[in-house]
Amino acid sequence: MFIEPYHNQNHQQEQKAGWIEVICGSMFSGKTEELIRRIKRANIAKQRVKIFKPSVDTRYHANDIVSHNASSVEAIAVPDAQQILSLVGDCAVVGIDEAQFFDASIIAVANQLAKQGKRVIIAGLDMDFMGNPFGAMPHLMAIAEYITKVHAVCVVCGDVANYSYRKTAVQAQVLLGETDAYEARCRRCFDQT
Ligand code: ADP
Ligand code: MG
């Protein structure tokens, strides 16, 4: 389990140190759950928190992030990553979900937020349905201080799953969907089709 690094943001310091944490994995691997867990702990520490998600992802709720086990926290849907900079205000912790859907400017935005002394927690799919790196996620993983890869369970054989298998023939990289369109699969079961 991820333990928050000891950077006490409640201290009265001249310039607080910021950093970037990435939570990655396949669909159903618990990325949003883990993001919500960290956000709730920041709330307990009385740190000001803001959470963002791309407005393209409207699957559950316009203004919340919701995990597959139905826990949720309030979030702001933004059309592009730049908007995050104008909306963060003086919060100490910035959460970003579904980061793979943001444009490449999310990389500069994340660096900028960390430079401002904020803790930036980014969750997103590391691979698309073809098994290729997704959007800016590889770059975000490269610049992050901390990376956590979470795993789902293969629905075919029960092994550890790190692929999002698409059940339909649609070829576009972005196809919003849930269990109707995707299932978590391990390496062997992903390759077997
Ligand atoms: P992600 O954000 O990575 O898509 P969530 O945090 O929204 O994942 O959801 C994780 C939850 O999804 C699990 O706690 C579990 O209840 C549910 N779930 C559904 N299918 C699977 C699966 N194949 N493997 C693991 N968890 C699954
Ligand atoms: Mg999620």
PDB file of all heavy atoms in Angstrom, residues 27 125-134 163-175 181-183 190:
ATOM      1  N   MET A  27      -8.233  -0.959 -16.952  1.00  0.00           N
ATOM      2  CA  MET A  27      -9.581  -0.686 -16.469  1.00  0.00           C
ATOM      3  C   MET A  27      -9.917  -1.671 -15.347  1.00  0.00           C
ATOM      4  O   MET A  27      -9.447  -2.810 -15.353  1.00  0.00           O
ATOM      5  CB  MET A  27     -10.601  -0.823 -17.599  1.00  0.00           C
ATOM      6  CG  MET A  27     -10.506   0.321 -18.601  1.00  0.00           C
ATOM      7  SD  MET A  27     -11.817   0.270 -19.812  1.00  0.00           S
ATOM      8  CE  MET A  27     -13.237   0.719 -18.824  1.00  0.00           C
ATOM      9  N   LEU A 125      -5.110   5.369 -17.350  1.00  0.00           N
ATOM     10  CA  LEU A 125      -4.811   4.097 -18.022  1.00  0.00           C
ATOM     11  C   LEU A 125      -3.409   4.162 -18.616  1.00  0.00           C
ATOM     12  O   LEU A 125      -3.098   5.092 -19.360  1.00  0.00           O
ATOM     13  CB  LEU A 125      -5.794   3.870 -19.171  1.00  0.00           C
ATOM     14  CG  LEU A 125      -7.220   3.494 -18.815  1.00  0.00           C
ATOM     15  CD1 LEU A 125      -8.119   3.655 -20.040  1.00  0.00           C
ATOM     16  CD2 LEU A 125      -7.258   2.052 -18.322  1.00  0.00           C
ATOM     17  N   ASP A 126      -2.565   3.189 -18.314  1.00  0.00           N
ATOM     18  CA  ASP A 126      -1.224   3.208 -18.909  1.00  0.00           C
ATOM     19  C   ASP A 126      -1.230   2.646 -20.332  1.00  0.00           C
ATOM     20  O   ASP A 126      -0.387   3.002 -21.140  1.00  0.00           O
ATOM     21  CB  ASP A 126      -0.199   2.498 -18.020  1.00  0.00           C
ATOM     22  CG  ASP A 126      -0.690   1.172 -17.484  1.00  0.00           C
ATOM     23  OD1 ASP A 126      -1.733   0.678 -17.973  1.00  0.00           O
ATOM     24  OD2 ASP A 126      -0.053   0.639 -16.570  1.00  0.00           O
ATOM     25  N   MET A 127      -2.212   1.775 -20.645  1.00  0.00           N
ATOM     26  CA  MET A 127      -2.281   1.208 -22.007  1.00  0.00           C
ATOM     27  C   MET A 127      -3.695   1.332 -22.559  1.00  0.00           C
ATOM     28  O   MET A 127      -4.674   1.254 -21.810  1.00  0.00           O
ATOM     29  CB  MET A 127      -1.917  -0.281 -21.979  1.00  0.00           C
ATOM     30  CG  MET A 127      -0.452  -0.568 -21.756  1.00  0.00           C
ATOM     31  SD  MET A 127      -0.116  -2.336 -21.937  1.00  0.00           S
ATOM     32  CE  MET A 127      -0.588  -2.970 -20.329  1.00  0.00           C
ATOM     33  N   ASP A 128      -3.774   1.465 -23.892  1.00  0.00           N
ATOM     34  CA  ASP A 128      -5.092   1.443 -24.531  1.00  0.00           C
ATOM     35  C   ASP A 128      -5.501  -0.012 -24.799  1.00  0.00           C
ATOM     36  O   ASP A 128      -4.799  -0.947 -24.380  1.00  0.00           O
ATOM     37  CB  ASP A 128      -5.085   2.305 -25.807  1.00  0.00           C
ATOM     38  CG  ASP A 128      -4.159   1.748 -26.891  1.00  0.00           C
ATOM     39  OD1 ASP A 128      -3.696   0.592 -26.769  1.00  0.00           O
ATOM     40  OD2 ASP A 128      -3.888   2.476 -27.856  1.00  0.00           O
ATOM     41  N   PHE A 129      -6.603  -0.198 -25.518  1.00  0.00           N
ATOM     42  CA  PHE A 129      -7.136  -1.559 -25.718  1.00  0.00           C
ATOM     43  C   PHE A 129      -6.254  -2.413 -26.619  1.00  0.00           C
ATOM     44  O   PHE A 129      -6.424  -3.624 -26.686  1.00  0.00           O
ATOM     45  CB  PHE A 129      -8.562  -1.483 -26.294  1.00  0.00           C
ATOM     46  CG  PHE A 129      -8.609  -1.169 -27.757  1.00  0.00           C
ATOM     47  CD1 PHE A 129      -8.905  -2.156 -28.688  1.00  0.00           C
ATOM     48  CD2 PHE A 129      -8.351   0.114 -28.210  1.00  0.00           C
ATOM     49  CE1 PHE A 129      -8.932  -1.870 -30.053  1.00  0.00           C
ATOM     50  CE2 PHE A 129      -8.375   0.419 -29.558  1.00  0.00           C
ATOM     51  CZ  PHE A 129      -8.667  -0.576 -30.482  1.00  0.00           C
ATOM     52  N   MET A 130      -5.284  -1.743 -27.318  1.00  0.00           N
ATOM     53  CA  MET A 130      -4.348  -2.488 -28.160  1.00  0.00           C
ATOM     54  C   MET A 130      -3.102  -2.908 -27.376  1.00  0.00           C
ATOM     55  O   MET A 130      -2.224  -3.594 -27.894  1.00  0.00           O
ATOM     56  CB  MET A 130      -3.894  -1.611 -29.338  1.00  0.00           C
ATOM     57  CG  MET A 130      -5.008  -1.182 -30.268  1.00  0.00           C
ATOM     58  SD  MET A 130      -5.569  -2.533 -31.322  1.00  0.00           S
ATOM     59  CE  MET A 130      -4.167  -2.688 -32.425  1.00  0.00           C
ATOM     60  N   GLY A 131      -2.996  -2.425 -26.156  1.00  0.00           N
ATOM     61  CA  GLY A 131      -1.794  -2.700 -25.375  1.00  0.00           C
ATOM     62  C   GLY A 131      -0.693  -1.686 -25.636  1.00  0.00           C
ATOM     63  O   GLY A 131       0.463  -1.897 -25.265  1.00  0.00           O
ATOM     64  N   ASN A 132      -1.036  -0.550 -26.264  1.00  0.00           N
ATOM     65  CA  ASN A 132      -0.056   0.516 -26.511  1.00  0.00           C
ATOM     66  C   ASN A 132      -0.157   1.590 -25.424  1.00  0.00           C
ATOM     67  O   ASN A 132      -1.229   1.798 -24.869  1.00  0.00           O
ATOM     68  CB  ASN A 132      -0.314   1.164 -27.881  1.00  0.00           C
ATOM     69  CG  ASN A 132      -0.070   0.197 -29.015  1.00  0.00           C
ATOM     70  OD1 ASN A 132       0.904  -0.553 -28.988  1.00  0.00           O
ATOM     71  ND2 ASN A 132      -0.956   0.204 -30.007  1.00  0.00           N
ATOM     72  N   PRO A 133       0.967   2.293 -25.146  1.00  0.00           N
ATOM     73  CA  PRO A 133       0.935   3.371 -24.162  1.00  0.00           C
ATOM     74  C   PRO A 133      -0.146   4.387 -24.519  1.00  0.00           C
ATOM     75  O   PRO A 133      -0.371   4.668 -25.703  1.00  0.00           O
ATOM     76  CB  PRO A 133       2.329   3.998 -24.273  1.00  0.00           C
ATOM     77  CG  PRO A 133       3.186   2.906 -24.810  1.00  0.00           C
ATOM     78  CD  PRO A 133       2.299   2.095 -25.719  1.00  0.00           C
ATOM     79  N   PHE A 134      -0.807   4.919 -23.498  1.00  0.00           N
ATOM     80  CA  PHE A 134      -1.995   5.756 -23.717  1.00  0.00           C
ATOM     81  C   PHE A 134      -1.688   7.229 -23.428  1.00  0.00           C
ATOM     82  O   PHE A 134      -1.370   7.594 -22.299  1.00  0.00           O
ATOM     83  CB  PHE A 134      -3.137   5.270 -22.817  1.00  0.00           C
ATOM     84  CG  PHE A 134      -4.516   5.540 -23.374  1.00  0.00           C
ATOM     85  CD1 PHE A 134      -5.564   4.659 -23.090  1.00  0.00           C
ATOM     86  CD2 PHE A 134      -4.780   6.636 -24.178  1.00  0.00           C
ATOM     87  CE1 PHE A 134      -6.847   4.875 -23.597  1.00  0.00           C
ATOM     88  CE2 PHE A 134      -6.058   6.861 -24.698  1.00  0.00           C
ATOM     89  CZ  PHE A 134      -7.095   5.985 -24.401  1.00  0.00           C
ATOM     90  N   TYR A 163      -4.296  -5.673 -18.683  1.00  0.00           N
ATOM     91  CA  TYR A 163      -4.771  -5.225 -19.988  1.00  0.00           C
ATOM     92  C   TYR A 163      -6.273  -4.946 -19.945  1.00  0.00           C
ATOM     93  O   TYR A 163      -7.016  -5.629 -19.234  1.00  0.00           O
ATOM     94  CB  TYR A 163      -4.517  -6.297 -21.056  1.00  0.00           C
ATOM     95  CG  TYR A 163      -3.055  -6.472 -21.393  1.00  0.00           C
ATOM     96  CD1 TYR A 163      -2.312  -7.486 -20.809  1.00  0.00           C
ATOM     97  CD2 TYR A 163      -2.432  -5.612 -22.294  1.00  0.00           C
ATOM     98  CE1 TYR A 163      -0.968  -7.647 -21.108  1.00  0.00           C
ATOM     99  CE2 TYR A 163      -1.089  -5.768 -22.604  1.00  0.00           C
ATOM    100  CZ  TYR A 163      -0.367  -6.786 -22.006  1.00  0.00           C
ATOM    101  OH  TYR A 163       0.958  -6.934 -22.318  1.00  0.00           O
ATOM    102  N   SER A 164      -6.690  -3.947 -20.783  1.00  0.00           N
ATOM    103  CA  SER A 164      -8.108  -3.651 -20.949  1.00  0.00           C
ATOM    104  C   SER A 164      -8.521  -4.228 -22.293  1.00  0.00           C
ATOM    105  O   SER A 164      -8.200  -3.677 -23.343  1.00  0.00           O
ATOM    106  CB  SER A 164      -8.342  -2.138 -20.939  1.00  0.00           C
ATOM    107  OG  SER A 164      -7.752  -1.558 -19.791  1.00  0.00           O
ATOM    108  N   TYR A 165      -9.207  -5.343 -22.260  1.00  0.00           N
ATOM    109  CA  TYR A 165      -9.602  -6.034 -23.491  1.00  0.00           C
ATOM    110  C   TYR A 165     -10.931  -5.465 -23.992  1.00  0.00           C
ATOM    111  O   TYR A 165     -11.911  -5.406 -23.239  1.00  0.00           O
ATOM    112  CB  TYR A 165      -9.744  -7.530 -23.207  1.00  0.00           C
ATOM    113  CG  TYR A 165     -10.221  -8.335 -24.384  1.00  0.00           C
ATOM    114  CD1 TYR A 165      -9.346  -8.687 -25.401  1.00  0.00           C
ATOM    115  CD2 TYR A 165     -11.562  -8.722 -24.474  1.00  0.00           C
ATOM    116  CE1 TYR A 165      -9.793  -9.421 -26.492  1.00  0.00           C
ATOM    117  CE2 TYR A 165     -12.013  -9.454 -25.563  1.00  0.00           C
ATOM    118  CZ  TYR A 165     -11.120  -9.795 -26.569  1.00  0.00           C
ATOM    119  OH  TYR A 165     -11.569 -10.518 -27.643  1.00  0.00           O
ATOM    120  N   ARG A 166     -10.942  -5.036 -25.269  1.00  0.00           N
ATOM    121  CA  ARG A 166     -12.175  -4.480 -25.834  1.00  0.00           C
ATOM    122  C   ARG A 166     -13.006  -5.587 -26.454  1.00  0.00           C
ATOM    123  O   ARG A 166     -12.502  -6.340 -27.289  1.00  0.00           O
ATOM    124  CB  ARG A 166     -11.851  -3.398 -26.867  1.00  0.00           C
ATOM    125  CG  ARG A 166     -13.112  -2.684 -27.334  1.00  0.00           C
ATOM    126  CD  ARG A 166     -12.814  -1.596 -28.336  1.00  0.00           C
ATOM    127  NE  ARG A 166     -12.246  -0.410 -27.724  1.00  0.00           N
ATOM    128  CZ  ARG A 166     -11.844   0.645 -28.418  1.00  0.00           C
ATOM    129  NH1 ARG A 166     -11.962   0.650 -29.739  1.00  0.00           N
ATOM    130  NH2 ARG A 166     -11.336   1.696 -27.811  1.00  0.00           N
ATOM    131  N   LYS A 167     -14.261  -5.633 -26.062  1.00  0.00           N
ATOM    132  CA  LYS A 167     -15.122  -6.730 -26.501  1.00  0.00           C
ATOM    133  C   LYS A 167     -15.813  -6.458 -27.835  1.00  0.00           C
ATOM    134  O   LYS A 167     -16.422  -7.351 -28.405  1.00  0.00           O
ATOM    135  CB  LYS A 167     -16.178  -7.011 -25.423  1.00  0.00           C
ATOM    136  CG  LYS A 167     -15.562  -7.462 -24.100  1.00  0.00           C
ATOM    137  CD  LYS A 167     -16.593  -8.050 -23.165  1.00  0.00           C
ATOM    138  CE  LYS A 167     -17.307  -6.991 -22.380  1.00  0.00           C
ATOM    139  NZ  LYS A 167     -18.275  -7.582 -21.423  1.00  0.00           N
ATOM    140  N   THR A 168     -15.734  -5.205 -28.306  1.00  0.00           N
ATOM    141  CA  THR A 168     -16.386  -4.881 -29.572  1.00  0.00           C
ATOM    142  C   THR A 168     -15.333  -4.675 -30.660  1.00  0.00           C
ATOM    143  O   THR A 168     -14.143  -4.573 -30.370  1.00  0.00           O
ATOM    144  CB  THR A 168     -17.206  -3.580 -29.455  1.00  0.00           C
ATOM    145  OG1 THR A 168     -16.283  -2.483 -29.363  1.00  0.00           O
ATOM    146  CG2 THR A 168     -18.098  -3.592 -28.234  1.00  0.00           C
ATOM    147  N   ALA A 169     -15.789  -4.551 -31.905  1.00  0.00           N
ATOM    148  CA  ALA A 169     -14.853  -4.442 -33.040  1.00  0.00           C
ATOM    149  C   ALA A 169     -14.428  -3.001 -33.319  1.00  0.00           C
ATOM    150  O   ALA A 169     -13.612  -2.765 -34.211  1.00  0.00           O
ATOM    151  CB  ALA A 169     -15.502  -5.038 -34.284  1.00  0.00           C
ATOM    152  N   VAL A 170     -14.931  -2.030 -32.561  1.00  0.00           N
ATOM    153  CA  VAL A 170     -14.590  -0.626 -32.813  1.00  0.00           C
ATOM    154  C   VAL A 170     -13.084  -0.434 -32.679  1.00  0.00           C
ATOM    155  O   VAL A 170     -12.464  -0.924 -31.732  1.00  0.00           O
ATOM    156  CB  VAL A 170     -15.327   0.299 -31.812  1.00  0.00           C
ATOM    157  CG1 VAL A 170     -14.995   1.758 -32.079  1.00  0.00           C
ATOM    158  CG2 VAL A 170     -16.830   0.063 -31.875  1.00  0.00           C
ATOM    159  N   GLN A 171     -12.469   0.301 -33.633  1.00  0.00           N
ATOM    160  CA  GLN A 171     -11.008   0.446 -33.642  1.00  0.00           C
ATOM    161  C   GLN A 171     -10.483   1.766 -33.088  1.00  0.00           C
ATOM    162  O   GLN A 171      -9.289   1.926 -32.892  1.00  0.00           O
ATOM    163  CB  GLN A 171     -10.483   0.260 -35.077  1.00  0.00           C
ATOM    164  CG  GLN A 171     -10.608  -1.182 -35.573  1.00  0.00           C
ATOM    165  CD  GLN A 171      -9.848  -2.171 -34.685  1.00  0.00           C
ATOM    166  OE1 GLN A 171      -8.653  -2.029 -34.447  1.00  0.00           O
ATOM    167  NE2 GLN A 171     -10.558  -3.176 -34.181  1.00  0.00           N
ATOM    168  N   ALA A 172     -11.361   2.758 -32.864  1.00  0.00           N
ATOM    169  CA  ALA A 172     -10.904   4.054 -32.359  1.00  0.00           C
ATOM    170  C   ALA A 172     -10.249   3.878 -30.990  1.00  0.00           C
ATOM    171  O   ALA A 172     -10.673   3.025 -30.206  1.00  0.00           O
ATOM    172  CB  ALA A 172     -12.078   5.018 -32.249  1.00  0.00           C
ATOM    173  N   GLN A 173      -9.200   4.704 -30.707  1.00  0.00           N
ATOM    174  CA  GLN A 173      -8.504   4.537 -29.420  1.00  0.00           C
ATOM    175  C   GLN A 173      -9.425   4.852 -28.258  1.00  0.00           C
ATOM    176  O   GLN A 173      -9.394   4.199 -27.228  1.00  0.00           O
ATOM    177  CB  GLN A 173      -7.252   5.438 -29.345  1.00  0.00           C
ATOM    178  CG  GLN A 173      -6.396   5.106 -28.117  1.00  0.00           C
ATOM    179  CD  GLN A 173      -5.181   6.012 -27.961  1.00  0.00           C
ATOM    180  OE1 GLN A 173      -5.250   7.208 -28.206  1.00  0.00           O
ATOM    181  NE2 GLN A 173      -4.069   5.432 -27.550  1.00  0.00           N
ATOM    182  N   VAL A 174     -10.266   5.898 -28.430  1.00  0.00           N
ATOM    183  CA  VAL A 174     -11.176   6.268 -27.348  1.00  0.00           C
ATOM    184  C   VAL A 174     -12.575   5.739 -27.653  1.00  0.00           C
ATOM    185  O   VAL A 174     -13.193   6.093 -28.651  1.00  0.00           O
ATOM    186  CB  VAL A 174     -11.228   7.809 -27.158  1.00  0.00           C
ATOM    187  CG1 VAL A 174     -12.237   8.170 -26.080  1.00  0.00           C
ATOM    188  CG2 VAL A 174      -9.835   8.325 -26.796  1.00  0.00           C
ATOM    189  N   LEU A 175     -13.028   4.848 -26.815  1.00  0.00           N
ATOM    190  CA  LEU A 175     -14.409   4.357 -26.872  1.00  0.00           C
ATOM    191  C   LEU A 175     -14.859   4.294 -25.433  1.00  0.00           C
ATOM    192  O   LEU A 175     -14.428   3.419 -24.669  1.00  0.00           O
ATOM    193  CB  LEU A 175     -14.479   2.965 -27.512  1.00  0.00           C
ATOM    194  CG  LEU A 175     -15.810   2.219 -27.328  1.00  0.00           C
ATOM    195  CD1 LEU A 175     -16.926   2.871 -28.122  1.00  0.00           C
ATOM    196  CD2 LEU A 175     -15.681   0.748 -27.724  1.00  0.00           C
ATOM    197  N   ALA A 181     -18.262  -2.834 -22.843  1.00  0.00           N
ATOM    198  CA  ALA A 181     -17.272  -2.705 -23.920  1.00  0.00           C
ATOM    199  C   ALA A 181     -15.896  -3.287 -23.567  1.00  0.00           C
ATOM    200  O   ALA A 181     -15.119  -3.603 -24.456  1.00  0.00           O
ATOM    201  CB  ALA A 181     -17.126  -1.236 -24.297  1.00  0.00           C
ATOM    202  N   TYR A 182     -15.591  -3.389 -22.284  1.00  0.00           N
ATOM    203  CA  TYR A 182     -14.235  -3.802 -21.876  1.00  0.00           C
ATOM    204  C   TYR A 182     -14.264  -4.874 -20.792  1.00  0.00           C
ATOM    205  O   TYR A 182     -15.208  -4.949 -19.997  1.00  0.00           O
ATOM    206  CB  TYR A 182     -13.465  -2.600 -21.296  1.00  0.00           C
ATOM    207  CG  TYR A 182     -13.226  -1.506 -22.291  1.00  0.00           C
ATOM    208  CD1 TYR A 182     -14.074  -0.399 -22.333  1.00  0.00           C
ATOM    209  CD2 TYR A 182     -12.165  -1.557 -23.192  1.00  0.00           C
ATOM    210  CE1 TYR A 182     -13.874   0.627 -23.249  1.00  0.00           C
ATOM    211  CE2 TYR A 182     -11.956  -0.550 -24.112  1.00  0.00           C
ATOM    212  CZ  TYR A 182     -12.807   0.542 -24.135  1.00  0.00           C
ATOM    213  OH  TYR A 182     -12.614   1.549 -25.039  1.00  0.00           O
ATOM    214  N   GLU A 183     -13.189  -5.651 -20.739  1.00  0.00           N
ATOM    215  CA  GLU A 183     -12.975  -6.513 -19.574  1.00  0.00           C
ATOM    216  C   GLU A 183     -11.482  -6.565 -19.267  1.00  0.00           C
ATOM    217  O   GLU A 183     -10.640  -6.376 -20.155  1.00  0.00           O
ATOM    218  CB  GLU A 183     -13.566  -7.913 -19.785  1.00  0.00           C
ATOM    219  CG  GLU A 183     -12.979  -8.690 -20.933  1.00  0.00           C
ATOM    220  CD  GLU A 183     -13.790  -9.942 -21.248  1.00  0.00           C
ATOM    221  OE1 GLU A 183     -15.003  -9.991 -20.939  1.00  0.00           O
ATOM    222  OE2 GLU A 183     -13.192 -10.875 -21.809  1.00  0.00           O
ATOM    223  N   PHE A 190      -5.292 -11.942 -22.876  1.00  0.00           N
ATOM    224  CA  PHE A 190      -5.376 -10.788 -23.777  1.00  0.00           C
ATOM    225  C   PHE A 190      -4.861 -11.176 -25.165  1.00  0.00           C
ATOM    226  O   PHE A 190      -5.412 -10.769 -26.184  1.00  0.00           O
ATOM    227  CB  PHE A 190      -4.548  -9.632 -23.205  1.00  0.00           C
ATOM    228  CG  PHE A 190      -4.549  -8.393 -24.046  1.00  0.00           C
ATOM    229  CD1 PHE A 190      -5.637  -7.519 -24.044  1.00  0.00           C
ATOM    230  CD2 PHE A 190      -3.449  -8.068 -24.840  1.00  0.00           C
ATOM    231  CE1 PHE A 190      -5.633  -6.362 -24.814  1.00  0.00           C
ATOM    232  CE2 PHE A 190      -3.443  -6.902 -25.622  1.00  0.00           C
ATOM    233  CZ  PHE A 190      -4.538  -6.068 -25.598  1.00  0.00           C
TER     234      PHE A 190
END
